[in-house]
Amino acid sequence: MIIDCHGHYTTEPKDLHRFRKDQTAAANAKDKAAMPPRSGLKMSDAEIKESIEGNQLKLQRERGTDLTIFSPRASGMGHHVGDESVSREWTEICNDLIHRVVTLYPKNFIGVCQLPQSPGVPPKNAAAELERCVKMGFVGCNLNPDASGGYFNQPPMTDKWWYPFYEKMVELDVPAMIHVSGCCNPAQHTTGSYYLNADTMVFMQIILSDLFKDFPTLRFIIPHGGGAVPFHWGRFRGIALNNGKPELAEIMGKNIFFDTCVYHQPGIDLLTKVVPIDNILFASEMVGAVKGNDPKTGFGFDDTKRYIENAPLTAADKAKIFEGNAFKVYPLLKNQIAKQAA
Amino acid sequence: MIIDCHGHYTTEPKDLHRFRKDQTAAANAKDKAAMPPRSGLKMSDAEIKESIEGNQLKLQRERGTDLTIFSPRASGMGHHVGDESVSREWTEICNDLIHRVVTLYPKNFIGVCQLPQSPGVPPKNAAAELERCVKMGFVGCNLNPDASGGYFNQPPMTDKWWYPFYEKMVELDVPAMIHVSGCCNPAQHTTGSYYLNADTMVFMQIILSDLFKDFPTLRFIIPHGGGAVPFHWGRFRGIALNNGKPELAEIMGKNIFFDTCVYHQPGIDLLTKVVPIDNILFASEMVGAVKGNDPKTGFGFDDTKRYIENAPLTAADKAKIFEGNAFKVYPLLKNQIAKQAA
């Protein structure tokens, strides 16, 4: 079984975009009366099916992957828009929509939720939505380290500000993918620099901390191959060692995992060479950051399965990346697959 | 000749630190009367010699490099401290100190200046200091894309806000290394994530712009191996191509260069495999971000010469990285070497 741990619903029904546009306008105008009603959303099963079958499901079949751990569009989370109540309304709608996709295609998708984060609002306020989604069969969440949308002005993820939320994650036994949303800072480009910078930032926050002493079973997936970390493995190793910390491989242990959203062969070769195989999860981020085919290979930039297959790895290592590691990182996955198959 | 294009004076005489501490305290207290006088600075030639001979010069000799393009401590620029006048005073002192080092060791060091940037202050205000330093024999500058010290809230470097400064760079025929300073944002770690994030951010700003149509001879060195870019070469290529831009190699052309401050062999192998050799400059960043020896190799993390020597490259390609490319990026270098040898 090939499990893609990082897919977003980026082909949503168009009325979802209408709703969000109206909601954003009302939030910006601070006009509660102009807020669009949730009951006004028109998204038929037929529309959802068409959007999935022509995109994510088509690519699953063409590329030969089996299951996508599926969450709302990351750039659409928009935690910086409006206040906490706006974020909560939008988050519930997006998560319910993922649940509908999973219900329509129970063998192909399993849910991961977005969270009702908002600038300055304690992460513990997102615990209830995580719990609601896990009850619906979700196996993890996307946790945003920068609700500001581009200015990196939240407390580091090692700060006790985050701890009540981590307690809920540990209680439910679900991991978080560290994932920022769309960037409203003109200096950073959402998918080009902002995503990668957040990944690198959070890894660096963690390695000098005692976070996993406080939460030995807390698990983070740092997407996009861990940002800049594998390329600068020596820099991060050196900084860790110079600060009295152990080797990065030991720090990552059973707590930090990188995905394979790295869109060229030399990048995947480096990732799988320097990062412990036990800490790598297969992912494509499709349909996502980089669409279209690489003119030099003729294959999709985000067809990361090909890069893993072509990497100089044993069959056992490839099996860990494609499947085995995912069951360890997402303990709820096995039962949820069985439940959805029934 | 082996030219290290990225060295900082990180072993400054201790009275410089005393001065800066007093200056920062006065700036934070907005107390002009408490500003330390420049004339009070006590930094003898003997002290400078000791600091250089036991560190940068010692490492040059041990590692077999010949010339370091040398600038003030990057993390010490601190453009977010105080206002423009504080930044200007501090900058002049730091640049004058580099000039003293170069004068004491004319065969080993050539100067690059820091600039009197300040949050919200137009970069054109830094043109006069660049001109002053070039008259002293400096061959380039360090240009900070984020004077805030960690919040990335300046206009992108493709914004016309920067253009008057670029005009001065073009007129003087000097390149800029894109380099942020010490981070005052607790979410980012200065050398671990902030430096790399700034590198990645600026590369991404540039590749979707027409900056080099407006300034065909403008040259930027993006340090630390180009941040996350080589590892995510496919992502950046795909984004550029999807936006109607050419291949990254063509975009970089004679305008963007990455240095070799990447502290492990697999990273250098990736860098030299995906980035055009003509766009790579040898550098170590020593004595800098990561001190000490890698326990796995027994050699300094920042002994990047070894990684280049061990990379699967032709002698001609290594010569470009070690020497040839530097003369193209720093047109003033050749004459300045001759002048300082005399």
Side-chain angles (χ1 to χ4, degrees), chain B residues 116-165:
Chain B
Q117 296 176 255
S118 192
V121 172
K124 71 176 175 194
N125 292 18
E129 178 64 5
L130 177 64
E131 194 148 26
R132 184 181 81 91
C133 291
V134 169
K135 281 184 186 155
M136 288 198 290
F138 287 44
V139 299
C141 60
N142 291 335
L143 186 58
N144 185 344
D146 177 34
S148 80
Y151 298 94
F152 293 143
N153 55 14
Q154 282 193 168
M157 298 197 75
T158 52
D159 192 282
K160 296 220 159 37
W161 193 61
W162 297 90
Y163 275 27
F165 185 77

Side-chain angles (χ1 to χ4, degrees), chain A residues 150-156 185-189 191-193 195-198 200-201 204-205 208 224-239 241-243 247 261-264 266-271 273-274 285 289-292 294-296 301, chain B residues 150-156 185-189 191-193 195-198 200-201 204-205 208 224-239 241-243 247 261-264 266-271 273-274 285 289-292 294-296 301:
Chain A
Y151 297 94
F152 293 143
N153 55 13
Q154 283 193 168
N185 174 352
Q188 297 197 78
H189 180 281
T191 52
S193 53
Y195 282 8
L196 305 179
N197 288 352
T200 308
M201 175 182 83
M204 188 62 222
Q205 290 171 356
L208 297 187
H224 322 108
V229 174
F231 180 48
H232 286 285
W233 195 247
R235 173 177 286 258
F236 290 94
R237 275 186 65 225
I239 293 174
L241 294 172
N242 286 343
N243 281 278
E247 287 283 344
C261 294
V262 177
Y263 296 154
H264 64 145
I268 290 289
D269 291 348
L270 176 77
L271 172 73
K273 184 170 192 170
V274 303
E285 206 184 353
V290 181
K291 294 179 186 170
D294 183 338
K296 291 196 175 163
F301 279 108
Chain B
Y151 298 94
F152 293 143
N153 55 14
Q154 282 193 168
N185 174 354
Q188 296 196 78
H189 180 281
T191 52
S193 53
Y195 283 8
L196 305 180
N197 287 351
T200 308
M201 175 182 83
M204 187 64 222
Q205 290 170 357
L208 297 187
H224 322 107
V229 174
F231 180 49
H232 285 286
W233 196 247
R235 173 177 287 258
F236 291 94
R237 275 187 64 224
I239 292 174
L241 295 172
N242 285 342
N243 281 278
E247 287 283 344
C261 295
V262 177
Y263 296 153
H264 64 145
I268 289 289
D269 291 348
L270 176 76
L271 172 73
K273 183 169 193 171
V274 303
E285 205 183 355
V290 181
K291 294 178 186 171
D294 183 339
K296 291 196 175 165
F301 278 109

Side-chain angles (χ1 to χ4, degrees), chain A residues 112-230:
Chain A
V112 151
C113 63
Q114 84 177 49
L115 296 164
Q117 295 175 255
S118 192
V121 172
K124 72 176 173 192
N125 291 19
E129 177 65 4
L130 177 63
E131 193 147 26
R132 185 182 80 91
C133 290
V134 170
K135 282 184 186 155
M136 288 198 292
F138 287 44
V139 299
C141 60
N142 291 334
L143 186 58
N144 186 344
D146 177 33
S148 80
Y151 297 94
F152 293 143
N153 55 13
Q154 283 193 168
M157 297 197 75
T158 52
D159 192 281
K160 295 220 159 38
W161 193 62
W162 297 89
Y163 276 27
F165 185 76
Y166 297 158
E167 284 164 14
K168 182 56 73 176
M169 283 174 59
V170 167
E171 178 197 321
L172 298 171
D173 212 8
V174 295
M177 179 172 281
I178 305 301
H179 210 308
V180 288
S181 185
C183 191
C184 61
N185 174 352
Q188 297 197 78
H189 180 281
T190 297
T191 52
S193 53
Y194 181 45
Y195 282 8
L196 305 179
N197 288 352
D199 303 335
T200 308
M201 175 182 83
V202 172
F203 183 82
M204 188 62 222
Q205 290 171 356
I206 292 172
I207 65 170
L208 297 187
S209 81
D210 290 323
L211 181 61
F212 301 126
K213 282 189 185 152
D214 291 342
F215 294 100
T217 62
L218 187 67
R219 294 176 304 283
F220 289 149
I221 301 111
I222 300 188
H224 322 108
V229 174

Side-chain angles (χ1 to χ4, degrees), chain B residues 161-332:
Chain B
W161 193 61
W162 297 90
Y163 275 27
F165 185 77
Y166 297 157
E167 284 164 15
K168 182 57 71 179
M169 284 174 59
V170 166
E171 178 197 321
L172 297 171
D173 212 9
V174 296
M177 179 173 281
I178 304 301
H179 210 309
V180 288
S181 185
C183 192
C184 61
N185 174 354
Q188 296 196 78
H189 180 281
T190 297
T191 52
S193 53
Y194 181 44
Y195 283 8
L196 305 180
N197 287 351
D199 303 335
T200 308
M201 175 182 83
V202 172
F203 184 82
M204 187 64 222
Q205 290 170 357
I206 292 171
I207 64 170
L208 297 187
S209 81
D210 289 323
L211 181 61
F212 302 126
K213 282 189 183 150
D214 292 341
F215 294 100
T217 63
L218 187 67
R219 293 177 304 284
F220 289 148
I221 302 113
I222 300 187
H224 322 107
V229 174
F231 180 49
H232 285 286
W233 196 247
R235 173 177 287 258
F236 291 94
R237 275 187 64 224
I239 292 174
L241 295 172
N242 285 342
N243 281 278
K245 298 290 179 184
E247 287 283 344
L248 296 183
E250 186 180 334
I251 294 175
M252 291 180 75
K254 295 180 189 306
N255 302 105
I256 304 177
F257 304 85
F258 293 167
D259 77 12
T260 65
C261 295
V262 177
Y263 296 153
H264 64 145
Q265 190 67 48
I268 289 289
D269 291 348
L270 176 76
L271 172 73
T272 54
K273 183 169 193 171
V274 303
V275 176
I277 296 296
D278 286 338
N279 296 79
I280 300 174
L281 298 181
F282 173 68
S284 71
E285 205 183 355
M286 62 97 172
V287 184
V290 181
K291 294 178 186 171
N293 287 344
D294 183 339
K296 291 196 175 165
T297 67
F299 293 94
F301 278 109
D302 63 3
D303 187 357
T304 52
K305 177 165 166 276
R306 294 182 64 256
Y307 309 135
I308 301 294
E309 283 168 347
N310 292 333
L313 297 169
T314 65
D317 281 349
K318 288 179 188 173
K320 282 183 175 182
I321 293 171
F322 279 134
E323 174 179 4
N325 295 339
F327 287 109
K328 294 181 183 166
V329 177
Y330 300 87
L332 304 185

Side-chain angles (χ1 to χ4, degrees), chain B residues 33-48:
Chain B
M35 281 289 169
R38 201 190 296 201
S39 58
L41 264 168
K42 305 271 181 261
M43 302 184 288
S44 69
D45 280 358
E47 206 178 347
I48 293 172

Side-chain angles (χ1 to χ4, degrees), chain A residues 212 215-221 250-257 279:
Chain A
F212 301 126
F215 294 100
T217 62
L218 187 67
R219 294 176 304 283
F220 289 149
I221 301 111
E250 188 181 332
I251 294 175
M252 292 181 74
K254 295 181 189 306
N255 302 107
I256 304 177
F257 303 86
N279 296 80

